[in-house]
């Protein structure tokens, strides 16, 4: 059954024969077929026009074509739907292209860094970028059914904060999610705090009532050093002032510490309660051994009387404070540093517990020598090279994992592009191999420094003559005849001096 009124008008325009208005659908179909047949024979005026070269486009249509008949009898609503489907298909091809996603992400990140875009336009760009984010494909996504975005600052909420504070809120909320995914959280308790840039006495902390998996950038509470609320965030919860005592003591005594991770994990608590402390059983332990301090248990840290003892325990150099019978506080100049030290401590504590269980006690453990411990600490101190600060490379990898799982962290990557440019050489250029004469000149003893210029001048003619006569070996390196004879003689002398077994 077709929509006859619109088709009647189309047939009238195409054939010049108006269709009769009949209520019977069979009669209407017969009339339509008769009209199509009558259009096969063009009129005399049409023939004359075609002969004169001004034929209408209708003359090029074959009325017997089944596709043309199907389109002619198709209702206008279906034609509109087909047109919209074609438009959506083209839009989907553009949105799903990797080049479009990459350019959109670059625009969003550049606007976040410069802060030049209006909040509304930036909000629209970020929403579009979130819709085009890659689907969950990592191990983190396998453990989560529904993901609450980390960055929930949109529109007016985002404009209420400075760009530095917005990025800090996103990073701190992402750290809470990482703690929860690693299984180190304890419900609504414990805290991860960060000092706000530009305001040395303002800090961000989690609202007391939300679990770590529920914390977002907008839900974080801004407080001062006394624990009074400056900005409540987007929730109705307040702050656990008793839990803030521990953080406020460290933040007030150490201005260099801008982030603190406080946990009650089983591994860290087991190491804190052992008399041997943290043992040098793995590279992770060697990296933080010199930064570990201990604090004896004096009851739950809930009043101001514990602050002097905490400040004395952490001192001015420690960044890891093991609280006996309580937990651990891991500190850093940045959130990246604090998170990396937390990973190192948890890994070292887990390895120590497994080693003690396997050995049956600390007396049966095989500890490395002092020289090996010193070498391991020196190697750990050299980490963070190639333009990356300590913990920054590992933290950025963790953010990629969260974003790949759909957490939408809002983190601004230092290296958003993982693939190297096409014009960059894939293999590093090796320095030229020095000639044997240059090696002998470099290895000359200190006593012959006075005669070095004369020796070099005397060796120049010989080296020039030998360069003309030097043969090129199979390996492609040039070797002079005197140098080859000297090397053969040296090998022969060494073989004669070897003792018999």
């Amino acid at each position: 059954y077709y929509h006859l009124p619109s088709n009647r008008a189309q047939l009238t325009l195409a054939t010049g024969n108006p269709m009769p208005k009949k209520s019977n659908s069979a009669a209407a179909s017969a009339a339509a077929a008769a009209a199509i047949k009558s259009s096969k024979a063009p009129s005399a005026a049409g023939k004359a026009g075609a002969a004169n070269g001004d034929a209408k486009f209708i003359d090029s249509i074959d009325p017997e074509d089944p596709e043309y008949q199907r389109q002619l009898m198709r209702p206008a609503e279906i034609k509109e739907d087909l047109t919209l489907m074609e438009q959506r298909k083209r839009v989907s091809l553009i949105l799903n292209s990797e080049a479009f996603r990459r350019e959109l992400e670059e625009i969003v990140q550049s606007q976040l860094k410069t802060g030049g875009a209006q909040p509304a336009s930036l909000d629209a760009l970020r929403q579009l970028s979130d819709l085009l984010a890659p689907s969950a494909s990592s191990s983190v996504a396998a453990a989560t059914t529904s993901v609450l975005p980390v960055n929930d600052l949109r529109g007016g909420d985002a404009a209420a904060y400075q760009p530095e504070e917005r990025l800090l809120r996103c990073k701190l909320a992402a750290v809470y999610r990482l703690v929860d995914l690693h299984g180190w959280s304890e419900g609504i308790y414990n805290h991860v705090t960060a000092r706000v840039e530009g305001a040395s006495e303002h800090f961000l902390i989690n609202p007391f009532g939300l679990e770590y998996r529920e914390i977002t950038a907008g839900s974080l509470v801004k407080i001062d050093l006394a624990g009074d609320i400056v900005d409540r965030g987007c929730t109705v919860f307040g702050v656990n002032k008793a839990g803030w005592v521990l953080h406020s003591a460290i933040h007030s005594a150490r201005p260099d510490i801008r982030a603190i991770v406080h946990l009650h994990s089983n591994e860290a608590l087991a190491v804190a309660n052992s008399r041997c402390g943290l043992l040098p059983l793995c590279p992770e332990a060697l990296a933080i051994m010199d930064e570990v301090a201990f604090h004896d248990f004096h009851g739950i840290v809930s009043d101001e009387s514990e602050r002097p003892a905490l400040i004395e325990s952490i001192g001015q150099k420690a960044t890891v404070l093991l609280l006996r019978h309580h937990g651990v506080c891991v500190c850093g100049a940045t959130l990246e540093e604090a998170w990396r030290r937390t990973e190192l401590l948890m890994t070292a504590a887990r390895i120590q517990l497994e080693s003690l269980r396997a050995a049956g006690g600390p007396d049966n453990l095989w500890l490395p020598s002092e020289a090996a411990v010193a070498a391991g600490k020196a190697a750990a101190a050299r980490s963070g090279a190639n333009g990356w600060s300590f913990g920054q490379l590992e933290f950025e990898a963790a953010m990629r994992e969260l974003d790949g799982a759909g957490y939408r962290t809002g983190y601004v990557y230092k290296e958003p592009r993982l693939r190297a440019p096409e014009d960059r050489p894939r293999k590093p250029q090796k320095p030229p191999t020095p000639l044997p004469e240059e090696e002998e000149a470099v290895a000359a003893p200190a006593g012959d420094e006075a005669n070095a210029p004369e020796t070099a001048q005397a060796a120049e003619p010989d080296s020039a003559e030998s360069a003309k006569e030097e043969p090129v070996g199979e390996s492609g390196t040039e070797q002079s005849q005197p140098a080859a004879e000297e090397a053969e003689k040296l090998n022969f002398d060494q073989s004669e001096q070897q003792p018999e077994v």
Side-chain angles (χ1 to χ4, degrees):
Y1 296 93
Y2 299 97
H3 187 64
L4 292 178
S6 61
N7 295 331
R8 182 181 299 109
Q10 293 172 359
L11 287 175
T12 302
L13 292 175
T15 61
N17 300 324
M19 285 187 59
K21 298 182 180 180
K22 295 182 180 180
S23 59
N24 193 349
S25 60
S29 301
I36 293 174
K37 284 185 178 180
S38 63
S39 64
K40 291 179 62 178
S43 61
K47 291 181 179 180
N52 295 332
D54 55 350
K56 304 293 183 179
F57 69 93
I58 197 67
D59 296 334
S60 61
I61 297 176
D62 184 10
E64 298 294 338
D65 186 9
E67 182 65 24
Y68 170 71
Q69 296 180 7
R70 190 181 302 110
Q71 293 180 2
L72 197 63
M73 304 297 292
R74 182 175 294 160
E77 292 84 355
I78 297 180
K79 289 184 178 181
E80 185 178 359
D81 292 341
L82 291 176
T83 304
L84 291 177
M85 288 174 61
E86 291 294 331
Q87 293 176 355
R88 291 194 190 100
K89 186 183 298 183
R90 287 185 292 177
V91 173
S92 299
L93 289 176
I94 296 174
L95 294 180
N96 293 328
S97 64
E98 187 64 27
F100 179 77
R101 292 183 183 181
R102 185 167 56 252
E103 292 180 4
L104 179 61
E105 186 65 24
E106 290 177 359
I107 293 173
V108 173
Q109 299 300 337
S110 63
Q111 292 297 331
L112 281 175
K113 290 181 180 179
T114 58
Q118 297 296 328
S121 60
L122 184 59
D123 181 35
L125 286 175
R126 297 194 67 172
Q127 288 181 356
L128 183 58
S129 177
D130 291 342
L131 290 175
L132 299 178
S135 58
S137 59
S138 62
S139 59
V140 178
T144 57
T145 55
S146 60
V147 176
L148 182 65
V150 171
N151 182 19
D152 61 341
L153 298 176
R154 296 288 187 268
D157 295 336
Y161 303 109
Q162 296 295 326
E164 295 81 5
E165 184 175 345
R166 289 200 303 266
L167 297 178
L168 182 64
R169 284 176 170 270
C170 292
K171 285 199 295 185
L172 182 57
V175 170
Y176 276 102
R177 302 298 184 91
L178 290 174
V179 171
D180 181 68
L181 290 171
H182 282 78
W184 301 334
S185 60
E186 195 179 26
I188 64 174
Y189 299 97
N190 303 330
H191 309 283
V192 181
T193 58
R195 190 189 300 265
V196 178
E197 297 287 343
S200 58
E201 299 300 325
H202 287 171
F203 306 88
L204 296 177
I205 192 172
N206 57 316
F208 187 58
L210 292 183
E211 293 188 349
Y212 282 22
R213 61 181 178 86
E214 300 173 318
I215 293 176
T216 61
S219 66
L220 294 171
V221 183
K222 186 193 297 186
I223 59 177
D224 57 12
L225 197 58
D228 298 329
I229 296 178
V230 179
D231 185 354
R232 187 177 295 273
C234 63
T235 68
V236 297
F237 298 105
V239 176
N240 183 14
K241 281 196 173 184
W244 170 243
V245 172
L246 174 63
H247 293 255
S248 63
I250 299 176
H251 279 301
S252 61
R254 296 280 300 274
D256 59 311
I257 292 177
R258 308 190 68 86
I260 302 175
V261 180
H262 175 50
L263 304 176
H264 291 174
S265 66
N266 299 336
E267 299 89 347
L269 189 57
V271 173
N273 293 338
S274 60
R275 292 185 179 273
C276 59
L278 186 62
L279 298 175
L281 299 178
C282 58
E284 289 80 5
L286 295 175
I288 59 175
M289 280 194 63
D290 293 340
E291 305 173 6
V292 177
F294 290 86
H295 178 72
D296 294 333
F297 183 70
H298 301 289
I300 301 298
V301 182
S302 59
D303 53 15
E304 301 292 333
S305 61
E306 190 74 13
R307 289 168 59 92
L310 287 168
I311 295 173
E312 182 181 359
S313 298
I314 194 170
Q316 295 298 322
K317 294 184 179 180
T319 57
V320 179
L321 182 62
L322 294 176
L323 308 170
R324 301 190 191 276
H325 311 288
H326 185 180
V328 61
C329 279
V330 186
C331 312
T334 60
L335 274 170
E336 291 86 346
E337 287 188 12
W339 173 248
R340 181 54 184 162
R341 288 193 180 99
T342 303
E343 286 184 316
L344 294 173
L345 176 64
M346 295 305 172
T347 302
R350 185 170 58 253
I351 292 175
Q352 180 169 328
L353 293 180
E354 294 294 336
S355 301
L356 289 172
R357 186 181 296 110
D363 297 335
N364 296 328
L365 288 177
W366 185 273
L367 299 178
S369 62
E370 294 182 0
V373 171
K377 292 179 180 179
R382 293 192 298 268
S383 62
N386 299 326
W388 296 86
S389 60
F390 176 75
Q392 189 177 15
L393 193 63
E394 294 83 359
F395 190 82
E396 189 148 323
M399 293 300 101
R400 285 198 303 270
E401 186 176 7
L402 288 181
D403 283 329
Y407 280 82
R408 305 177 189 177
T409 61
Y411 178 76
V412 178
Y413 291 91
K414 181 180 178 180
E415 286 292 344
R417 295 182 179 181
L418 300 182
R419 294 184 62 87
E422 297 295 338
D423 55 349
R424 194 185 74 172
R426 294 184 178 273
K427 294 183 179 180
Q429 300 294 332
K430 295 182 179 180
T433 305
L435 297 176
E437 292 80 0
E438 297 178 358
E439 294 180 354
E440 294 176 0
V442 172
D448 297 340
E449 290 181 357
N451 301 328
E454 299 177 359
T455 306
Q457 292 177 1
E460 286 181 358
D462 297 338
S463 60
E465 295 177 0
S466 60
K468 299 178 181 179
E469 300 176 358
E470 284 174 348
V472 179
E474 296 179 358
S475 60
T477 59
E478 298 181 357
Q479 186 177 12
S480 62
Q481 186 68 19
E485 294 177 357
E486 186 67 23
E488 183 178 357
K489 182 179 179 181
L490 180 60
N491 294 334
F492 178 75
D493 295 342
Q494 290 179 354
S495 62
E496 287 183 348
Q497 296 175 1
Q498 292 179 358
E500 296 180 359
V501 180

